Amino acid sequence: MSEDWEPKIVSFFCNWCTYGAADLAGVSRFEHPANTRVIRLPCSGRVSPKFILAALREGADGVWVSGCHPGDCHYIEGNYYARRKFALFKNLLEYMGVEPERVHFSWISSAEATKYVDVAKEVIESVRKLGPNTRFVKHKAKVA
Amino acid sequence: MLGYTDKIKEISERLLKEGKVDMVIGFKKGTMPMMNEPCVIKKAEDAGKLVWDSNCGINLANYLTDRKEKIGIIAKGCDSRNIATHIVENKIRRDQLVIIGVPCKGMIDRHKIASMSETEILSVTDAGDEIIVKAEDSEKTLKKAEVLQKNCAVCTHRNPVIYDELVADLVEEQKDADRYADVREIEAMSAEEKWKYFDDLLAPCIRCYACRNACPLCYCPTCFVDESRPQWVGKSTDPMDTRTFHFLRAYHCAGRCTDCGSCERACPAGINIRVLTKKLEKDCFESYGWEAGLTTEDRPPLDTYKLNDPEDFIK
Ligand code: SF4
Ligand code: SF4
């Protein structure tokens, strides 16, 4: 690991909550490390395992998925379905040898800018500790 | 097994003659040892082609998808559970089916038996609790219990869960089977060891998709492996592409797989891919109390939720 290595985190955020929280954190001038690349989705229920695997394949060091607290889903129940999908997904990923700290899940409402900042720091730090991701990454042939 | 075959022929002939069904899906003798072929019988006089022995490991529910006819189908325990799954997923209607239930005593492991013989195997026949294997220069008698398919050795649903006719009395279910010993072994490994374990396990995979095609659960009009824009899964045998394929194949079967073993049986490389589907099966059971295909009443685990589902992994 080189000295100046910084973890790249791909974040899948629900439009109705965590994305808003990130926005609020910005507007409120809360500081946090800039390691995340945010992808906005309509609901955590929209997150397919394919997205997470694709992020890792393309070289993400960590993935962070965040949606609305149970009971707060804009579509009433999307996050309840998502919760089961994520549980099985995370277990299978770890079963195949991916470190548990590579992939993170959280519930953050649009009002929780401070929770957003805290979780962002936690995610980034735990991925930083692991070092660069080597699992599920597809190394492409170098183009001259 | 002769009794089974006779009864299967008799019931199938009757159903076709009486016009209760347009076809019967069953097995006929294959052209190679240990490879009975699924077949569709449409005329009563052809019912004589049907057979039953310990080489009927393929899951016949695979041939029901979206059919419109009235169908008689031969179903051992696992087939019946996949038929139930098909009904729940609207891939066939219960009233289209006459399920001919076969209380099953297990299928034999074709990969294992082939690996036990140095020369080409010419025939493999059932003889009660024994299996007679004739090869080019030898003849061996094996105990069936020792050459069972791995999934059959730990099967706890040998009897069909839904049926309209039965070809024999129900058999006793195995009670003390430890279904998840192999999964627990992998779970106990470090991340490093797990990664290596699956590297080795999947290295012989040639991406032929026989495992996918043999599986009754895989019926999407466009499979994720064929999607190209975006291409979620690389098409090569690059180890990461292969791993992604296996991850997603197993994941798609979550809460639906009945551990019928058809995927593993179909694999030309003999890869034990069931360790992936079994992990999901174990998790579904432990987290949601779910076993696939036991009823047509309840929604499968990824199609429902509880307010208090476990979420200790979520911050
Ligand atoms: S994944 Fe394999 S064991 Fe499970 S239902 Fe499909 S073919 Fe059977
Ligand atoms: S059948 Fe075997 S070799 Fe073919 S894709 Fe499946 S695991 Fe790979």
Side-chain angles (χ1 to χ4, degrees):
Chain A
M1 205 189 317
S2 71
E3 286 288 302
D4 49 10
W5 173 78
E6 280 291 329
K8 275 198 286 292
I9 317 279
V10 173
S11 312
F12 296 98
F13 291 162
C14 160
N15 171 50
W16 303 103
C17 52
T18 312
Y19 193 84
D23 217 12
L24 183 59
V27 174
S28 313
R29 301 282 187 270
F30 291 164
E31 258 184 66
H32 70 83
N35 300 64
T36 58
R37 277 72 168 161
V38 178
I39 296 171
R40 179 165 63 152
L41 296 171
C43 179
S44 51
R46 178 64 184 91
V47 177
S48 159
K50 294 188 233 180
F51 301 173
I52 304 177
L53 292 177
L56 296 175
R57 175 182 69 188
E58 301 298 325
D61 298 304
V63 175
W64 174 19
V65 179
S66 187
C68 306
H69 288 274
D72 287 353
C73 177
H74 187 77
Y75 309 98
I76 316 296
E77 51 182 17
N79 52 359
Y80 285 120
Y81 289 109
R83 184 164 63 180
R84 286 194 166 196
K85 282 200 295 184
F86 297 160
L88 295 177
F89 174 82
K90 186 158 176 29
N91 287 352
L92 189 60
L93 207 57
E94 289 174 21
Y95 183 72
M96 283 185 99
V98 172
E99 308 92 331
E101 300 81 14
R102 281 282 168 217
V103 179
H104 297 260
F105 297 88
S106 62
W107 303 137
I108 300 175
S109 83
S110 55
E112 294 177 310
T114 41
K115 176 168 181 185
Y116 171 79
V117 173
D118 291 346
V119 176
K121 286 183 185 153
E122 190 185 333
V123 168
I124 294 162
E125 277 328 297
S126 67
V127 174
R128 190 191 302 281
K129 254 191 223 128
L130 287 177
N133 180 31
T134 54
R135 316 253 157 104
F136 273 101
V137 189
K138 191 168 169 189
H139 299 283
K140 297 198 180 103
K142 287 229 161 43
V143 187
Chain B
M1 293 285 127
L2 268 183
Y4 275 51
T5 299
D6 289 343
K7 196 75 198 194
I8 286 172
K9 287 179 184 167
E10 182 197 312
I11 295 171
S12 306
E13 196 183 335
R14 168 164 49 82
L15 291 175
L16 285 163
K17 216 178 250 161
E18 290 173 356
K20 293 241 167 68
V21 297
D22 305 318
M23 59 168 74
V24 172
I25 301 179
F27 285 96
K28 66 176 182 194
K29 188 131 191 49
T31 48
M32 307 236 305
M34 298 188 283
M35 300 273 248
N36 283 345
E37 288 170 17
C39 71
V40 173
I41 303 285
K42 293 191 171 165
K43 295 194 212 107
E45 60 266 33
D46 290 337
K49 285 190 194 152
L50 292 165
V51 296
W52 190 267
D53 61 20
S54 301
N55 303 300
C56 298
I58 288 182
N59 193 325
L60 294 181
N62 200 15
Y63 301 92
L64 288 180
T65 312
D66 293 331
R67 296 216 77 116
K68 303 288 174 265
E69 304 90 336
K70 290 215 68 174
I71 302 170
I73 180 162
I74 318 290
K76 51 193 183 295
C78 49
D79 304 48
S80 77
R81 293 172 65 193
N82 279 101
I83 294 171
T85 304
H86 254 48
I87 294 169
V88 169
E89 296 176 359
N90 298 323
K91 286 287 119 190
I92 195 84
R93 289 196 328 270
R94 178 67 180 96
D95 61 14
Q96 279 175 272
L97 300 177
V98 177
I99 303 172
I100 307 163
V102 180
C104 178
K105 292 179 188 154
M107 296 294 143
I108 53 176
D109 186 337
R110 71 177 184 96
H111 296 296
K112 185 166 182 180
I113 292 175
S115 71
M116 289 161 87
S117 178
E118 312 234 303
T119 52
E120 197 186 328
I121 292 175
L122 303 176
S123 79
V124 175
T125 35
D126 279 47
D129 290 336
E130 290 177 334
I131 302 289
I132 300 164
V133 181
K134 283 203 187 105
E136 267 171 359
D137 56 357
S138 67
E139 182 173 323
K140 258 189 289 199
T141 305
L142 304 170
K143 284 215 172 57
K144 180 167 161 178
E146 282 161 20
V147 289
L148 277 181
Q149 260 182 212
K150 286 194 238 51
N151 61 313
C152 300
V154 293
C155 171
T156 51
H157 297 283
R158 295 177 142 188
N159 292 304
V161 295
I162 42 170
Y163 54 84
D164 302 297
E165 309 248 1
L166 267 188
V167 307
D169 292 337
L170 295 177
V171 293
E172 205 184 319
E173 294 291 0
Q174 311 191 101
K175 295 251 155 45
D176 43 5
D178 180 2
R179 286 195 53 72
Y180 302 116
D182 46 355
V183 176
R184 282 197 308 270
E185 230 167 83
I186 300 171
E187 283 171 343
M189 296 178 187
S190 68
E192 199 73 37
E193 290 166 336
K194 287 173 178 160
W195 187 259
K196 172 90 176 48
Y197 176 90
F198 283 100
D199 258 354
D200 295 344
L201 181 82
L202 301 175
C205 176
I206 51 170
R207 299 284 298 269
C208 65
Y209 303 143
C211 49
R212 172 196 69 175
N213 290 11
C215 178
L217 303 173
C218 289
Y219 54 64
C220 297
T222 305
C223 178
F224 68 92
V225 302
D226 298 323
E227 287 170 338
S228 53
R229 284 187 184 190
Q231 193 190 80
W232 296 109
V233 186
K235 316 255 186 256
S236 73
T237 48
D238 173 277
M240 230 49 80
D241 287 343
T242 304
R243 203 183 261 264
T244 308
F245 161 61
H246 280 287
F247 184 103
L248 290 170
R249 189 197 80 86
Y251 189 80
H252 282 190
C253 303
R256 307 164 68 219
C257 172
T258 59
D259 200 29
C260 71
S262 287
C263 46
E264 190 171 327
R265 162 176 269 271
C267 176
I271 303 174
N272 177 14
I273 36 184
R274 286 174 37 258
V275 292
L276 288 166
T277 42
K278 274 177 86 184
K279 164 67 177 158
L280 290 155
E281 192 191 302
K282 176 171 178 277
D283 284 355
C284 284
F285 184 68
E286 287 174 357
S287 300
Y288 312 119
W290 173 261
E291 273 188 278
L294 296 188
T295 123
T296 51
E297 305 301 316
D298 299 334
R299 300 307 302 168
L302 288 184
D303 192 33
T304 184
Y305 60 85
K306 288 215 174 75
L307 296 182
N308 59 351
D309 279 332
E311 59 163 26
D312 37 347
F313 66 98
I314 303 177
K315 287 185 239 305

